[in-house]
Amino acid sequence: MIGEFFKGLFLMIWKVVTDQPDPKVEFVSVFPATIQPIISVLLSIVPIIMVFASLFALTTLLERKGLGRIQNRLGPNRVGPFGLFQPVADGLKMLTKEDIVPHSADKLIHFLAPIVLLVPTLLAYAVLPFGQNMVPIDMDAGILFFFAVGASTELSIFMAGWSSRNKYSLLGAMRAIAQMISYEIPLIISSVTVIMIAGSLSLVEIVDKQSGYHFGFLPHWNVFTPWGLAGFIIFLIASLAESNRSPFDIPEAESEIIAGHLTEYSGFKYALFFLAEYLGMFAVSGLAVTLFLGGWRAPLPFLEIVPSYIWFLLKLMGLVCLFIWIRGTLPRLRVDQLLNFAWKFMLPMSLINLFVAAIWHFTSVWNFRGAGLGRWLLCAAMIAVPYVWLGRTLIGNKKITHRTYRFAN
Amino acid sequence: MVPLYYYLIFSALLFSVGLAGALTRRNAILVLIGIELMLNAANLNFIAFWRYSPDPEALTGMMFVIFSIAVAAAEAAVGLALIIAIYRHYRTVDLTKVDSLKG
Amino acid sequence: MGITFAIIAALTLVSAIAAMSLRNLVHCALSLAVTFAGIAAMYLQLDAQFVGFAQILVYIGAVAILIVFAILLTRSSETPQPVISRSWIMGIVIALAVFGVLTKVILSSSIAQRELPAKPAPTVRQIGDQLMTRYVLPLEAIGLLLTAATIGAVIIAMHDKKGRGDGGQNVNSTPSRAEAHQHADETHNLIT
């Protein structure tokens, strides 16, 4: 019994390391038949939670260090070598803090809000293909599931803001909902382009459609097509807004409304919000990787010996680093700028992009000489021309001059 | 296995709850909520009939629900816009007080 | 299977009754969201994945949020609502009568006793194919309806600029913003 247990365990680990299909089968079959489904489910869930929770700890440190370097300071460097244990210290601080609930708050909803936020965020991981043979559930309507659970986080932000009975909380929550609803539309429309080309809502199949290489080195990723590049950029901007990251962090803009819907939260509940926010960011970047960056596929043919999930995590961390960089670089938008940008620029551009993707799909039957290049140029022009025109019209006749500082000089 | 009439009775219950709410509550928003509940109960019936039909591959019930969800979204948007307009005009959404057409 | 059904049904019904009977309107809206989630779970039980996710996306992601916005905009949550109106007995009696008639009809019908047939596997591809072939006309009509509803909702809910007296401070919001812009531009010119 014990021998079989360890044999199954080692076989599972070996299969995971070497990227083979169905790593769980032998290990699960050790257990009695009644608890096999539960073990199988646990083997899918526990690694996801552990990997992404530790990634969360790593990212908070990375973010603080990176922002520190961008702002020309050191960042956390007291706890452990180079401040490496800072996340542990942060976690201990959060856990031991007093949990304060405002006197006039709606206690039940105030308590439920962080849970209602965290659970859908974790559910979203159920459909992401992390590696070649690593997808918790290969669902036929995978993307739809992802967006459906993503949509239910809006309600929890409202719950947090409303139940605190604090005007700043409510203002922050309303800002967050307005922003999330506005940016959800470009987010979904830009992923519809990928669905159109791949002909499937299953994320596994979308990754499969991006296999192979042009000329032996340029992978078939969606981001290397005109509509894919435009869609990727739209998706990135919209996902920044969806995860309430800077420069779209007006729901929790400290200088205007303290901390938005988080104002009245402290201790463990605040930590849950923080965790859910980062997990949401990982999930949406994971979706971006899957849709546009080829998922777990290696960028070059000879690099395919590296296990697939390593590539997925590397691409994911690349996107997260980009998010941190953007946070350190760009100032926060005003509310009217934010909503104008969503409705007047992002929405038309994503609709045009959808149209271009349709043209890309129908010109794939061209077979004359130079058809590939012609198709590429046609689609690129169809995106670039409206982009320039729209950008010019929106800026209008506002003259952009050198910024002058009134008090600095 | 659950037989079909479980679903039908459940949806009849849901429909009655929605109907009772829509008839007894005075706030316009709650009346709209009641109507949404009744609509959802009807949708559930369509899905149940589709699943238990001899030929589920036809997808008719499912299509009906997809269209019905789209119509319900439009209905909710217009209904709530009307409620907000009523509120601007009368400064209340209490349906018993919105009675200027009463003779 | 029966237990799952019972749990979902109980949760949905309790939250539906709560949505129709609580005093605080925001609580009503939140329990309505739970009801919608329960109905989506019912769809999943009936192997209708696509419709279940569409239900969550549309109802919880959009309709519940719209209702919450309407509640806050009409300030209905600030005063507890009276639970019942004068004609509440009539309403309950009518609802009970409707339920009684429906139950009687359902139980006397022969198809209601039908057992679950083999599991169909409607892929999203099939649904899409049907939408683009057999149901293409309804799809176009829905597109038109949604566009009309969007425009209509915006127009109905928009402030009328001419302004009635009572709308007071809200009516002028757009001109004042334009003024603010002008002001900002002037100060900008002054600085430069």
Side-chain angles (χ1 to χ4, degrees):
Chain A
M1 180 65 197
I2 292 173
E4 273 177 36
F5 179 84
F6 280 107
K7 199 177 148 208
L9 190 64
F10 282 127
L11 203 59
M12 181 172 73
I13 294 170
W14 173 246
K15 276 187 163 182
V16 166
V17 170
T18 56
D19 225 359
Q20 288 177 38
D22 299 328
K24 296 187 290 193
V25 176
E26 285 83 4
F27 184 61
V28 171
S29 64
V30 173
F31 295 95
T34 44
I35 59 166
Q36 271 183 17
I38 299 172
I39 297 287
S40 173
V41 166
L42 279 182
L43 282 177
S44 300
I45 295 173
V46 173
I48 290 178
I49 293 181
M50 280 171 58
V51 166
F52 283 96
S54 46
L55 205 61
F56 158 67
L58 192 77
T59 310
T60 51
L61 182 68
L62 191 72
E63 177 152 23
R64 295 176 67 174
K65 280 283 196 190
L67 280 183
R69 294 316 302 172
I70 290 172
Q71 293 159 359
N72 208 3
R73 53 189 172 83
L74 286 175
N77 61 352
R78 292 284 134 179
V79 196
F82 309 108
L84 272 180
F85 297 135
Q86 186 66 38
V88 183
D90 281 346
L92 284 178
K93 186 195 88 172
M94 288 290 186
L95 288 180
T96 50
K97 249 182 159 176
E98 185 190 354
D99 177 28
I100 301 170
V101 181
H103 180 66
S104 60
D106 199 311
K107 305 275 184 316
L108 179 69
I109 296 178
H110 191 262
F111 171 75
L112 280 179
I115 303 168
V116 177
L117 182 63
L118 187 60
V119 169
T121 316
L122 279 175
L123 276 179
Y125 287 89
V127 288
L128 286 181
F130 300 103
Q132 197 164 6
N133 307 302
M134 276 188 210
V135 52
I137 311 168
D138 178 12
M139 217 179 269
D140 194 34
I143 293 191
L144 194 65
F145 174 81
F146 191 95
F147 286 129
V149 295
S152 41
T153 55
E154 286 158 19
L155 212 55
S156 71
I157 288 180
F158 168 77
M159 284 164 72
W162 180 80
S163 65
S164 300
R165 293 289 156 83
N166 175 332
K167 61 183 167 195
Y168 295 116
S169 297
L170 192 58
L171 273 177
M174 290 331 246
R175 281 182 175 192
I177 293 173
Q179 170 180 334
M180 285 168 94
I181 287 183
S182 313
Y183 280 88
E184 205 169 352
I185 302 166
L187 189 79
I188 292 182
I189 293 180
S190 62
S191 23
V192 165
T193 55
V194 178
I195 297 171
M196 247 162 68
I197 300 293
S200 169
L201 266 76
S202 153
L203 289 168
V204 175
E205 209 160 307
I206 286 173
V207 176
D208 280 345
K209 286 273 158 62
Q210 302 182 51
S211 61
Y213 302 88
H214 291 290
F215 321 119
F217 68 94
L218 190 66
H220 270 291
W221 298 351
N222 286 332
V223 74
F224 295 123
T225 56
W227 57 268
L229 184 62
F232 179 61
I233 294 169
I234 294 171
F235 191 95
L236 263 194
I237 297 173
S239 60
L240 270 177
E242 280 290 298
S243 47
N244 291 341
R245 299 269 310 174
S246 174
F248 301 107
D249 59 346
I250 57 157
E252 36 207 83
E254 301 88 355
S255 47
E256 300 163 25
I257 47 172
I258 310 178
H261 57 277
L262 303 175
T263 306
E264 299 292 356
Y265 280 91
S266 63
F268 192 60
K269 287 182 197 157
Y270 181 78
L272 280 185
F273 268 111
F274 205 56
L275 176 68
E277 210 161 272
Y278 273 80
L279 286 182
M281 183 175 82
F282 294 146
V284 82
S285 349
L287 189 68
V289 166
T290 310
L291 289 180
F292 296 101
L293 297 179
W296 43 262
R297 296 199 172 272
L300 289 170
F302 66 89
L303 288 173
E304 275 170 8
I305 46 164
V306 180
S308 52
Y309 46 90
I310 303 266
W311 283 119
F312 182 86
L313 284 180
L314 278 179
K315 290 174 189 172
L316 185 76
M317 283 317 286
L319 279 187
V320 169
C321 289
L322 181 69
F323 282 4
I324 294 173
W325 184 15
I326 290 175
R327 178 173 172 184
T329 311
L330 294 178
R332 182 183 299 138
L333 270 75
R334 273 198 329 254
V335 184
D336 59 326
Q337 289 171 335
L338 181 106
L339 293 179
N340 277 343
F341 184 62
W343 292 101
K344 291 187 185 162
F345 184 77
M346 298 277 280
L347 183 63
M349 276 317 284
S350 54
L351 285 174
I352 290 167
N353 195 30
L354 193 67
F355 188 64
V356 171
I359 289 192
W360 180 266
H361 181 72
F362 285 117
T363 50
S364 64
V365 292
W366 285 5
N367 55 0
F368 54 86
R369 211 176 139 74
L373 189 67
R375 179 181 172 215
W376 218 97
L377 287 178
L378 173 71
C379 289
M382 284 189 64
I383 294 171
V385 172
Y387 170 75
V388 171
W389 180 76
L390 206 61
R392 298 231 157 200
T393 347
L394 284 185
I395 291 177
N397 45 14
K398 267 182 256 166
K399 277 206 194 96
I400 299 173
T401 49
H402 282 291
R403 189 162 175 183
T404 44
Y405 296 95
R406 206 166 167 185
F407 301 110
N409 298 330
Chain B
M1 279 297 163
V2 185
L4 176 58
Y5 69 94
Y6 277 35
Y7 286 102
L8 298 185
I9 290 194
F10 168 70
S11 103
L13 260 174
L14 207 60
F15 186 88
S16 315
V17 170
L19 183 65
L23 288 178
T24 52
R25 297 301 296 254
R26 297 202 318 216
N27 190 307
I29 296 172
L30 277 168
V31 173
L32 198 77
I33 290 179
I35 292 170
E36 290 290 335
L37 275 183
M38 291 194 270
L39 207 63
N40 268 284
N43 281 354
L44 183 61
N45 264 0
F46 274 110
I47 291 287
F49 279 129
W50 161 77
R51 181 67 181 82
Y52 284 82
S53 75
D55 179 26
E57 296 297 323
L59 295 180
T60 321
M62 213 170 193
M63 286 299 159
F64 205 103
V65 174
I66 290 172
F67 288 123
S68 148
I69 286 177
V71 173
E75 175 240 316
V78 175
L80 290 170
L82 281 175
I83 289 174
I84 289 172
I86 289 174
Y87 175 74
R88 281 226 190 89
H89 194 89
Y90 292 98
R91 292 280 134 194
T92 178
V93 283
D94 190 332
L95 286 177
T96 52
K97 292 192 185 126
V98 184
D99 55 358
S100 19
L101 277 184
K102 213 173 185 177
Chain C
M1 202 54 136
I3 296 171
T4 334
F5 175 82
I7 293 172
I8 298 172
L11 188 73
T12 315
L13 271 181
V14 167
S15 60
I17 292 169
M20 298 281 39
S21 59
L22 287 178
R23 278 174 177 276
N24 191 325
L25 269 184
V26 173
H27 290 169
C28 292
L30 293 177
S31 11
L32 182 73
V34 178
T35 317
F36 288 151
I39 291 169
M42 281 282 180
Y43 291 163
L44 296 185
Q45 278 265 298
L46 287 164
D47 302 311
Q49 270 191 0
F50 186 85
V51 181
F53 298 149
Q55 162 97 6
I56 295 178
L57 192 65
V58 173
Y59 276 102
I60 298 181
V63 173
I65 297 281
L66 265 182
I67 288 175
V68 158
F69 262 92
I71 290 171
L72 291 187
L73 282 177
T74 56
R75 298 170 182 273
S76 307
S77 65
E78 286 169 12
T79 48
Q81 299 294 315
V83 175
I84 40 185
S85 59
R86 269 157 290 176
S87 59
W88 66 277
I89 299 179
M90 279 307 287
I92 301 273
V93 166
I94 291 173
L96 280 179
V98 167
F99 176 65
V101 171
L102 282 177
T103 316
K104 190 165 162 16
V105 172
I106 289 166
L107 289 180
S108 63
S109 147
S110 61
I111 55 165
Q113 308 296 330
R114 194 180 280 162
E115 286 295 322
L116 201 65
K119 182 177 177 176
T123 58
V124 179
R125 177 176 290 277
Q126 276 176 336
I127 296 174
D129 279 344
Q130 294 258 310
L131 274 178
M132 281 296 147
T133 53
R134 195 174 159 200
Y135 298 97
V136 70
L137 206 62
L139 189 71
E140 302 276 332
I142 282 286
L144 200 64
L145 173 76
L146 284 177
T147 317
T150 318
I151 297 171
V154 169
I155 288 176
I156 293 171
M158 211 159 54
H159 291 286
D160 40 348
K161 296 268 166 51
K162 308 269 165 28
R164 231 182 312 280
D166 55 23
Q169 70 234 37
N170 292 335
V171 174
N172 294 325
S173 71
T174 326
S176 71
R177 183 179 289 167
E179 265 174 36
H181 273 296
Q182 235 172 30
H183 191 68
D185 284 350
E186 276 166 16
T187 43
H188 190 248
N189 289 339
L190 278 180
I191 294 162
T192 48

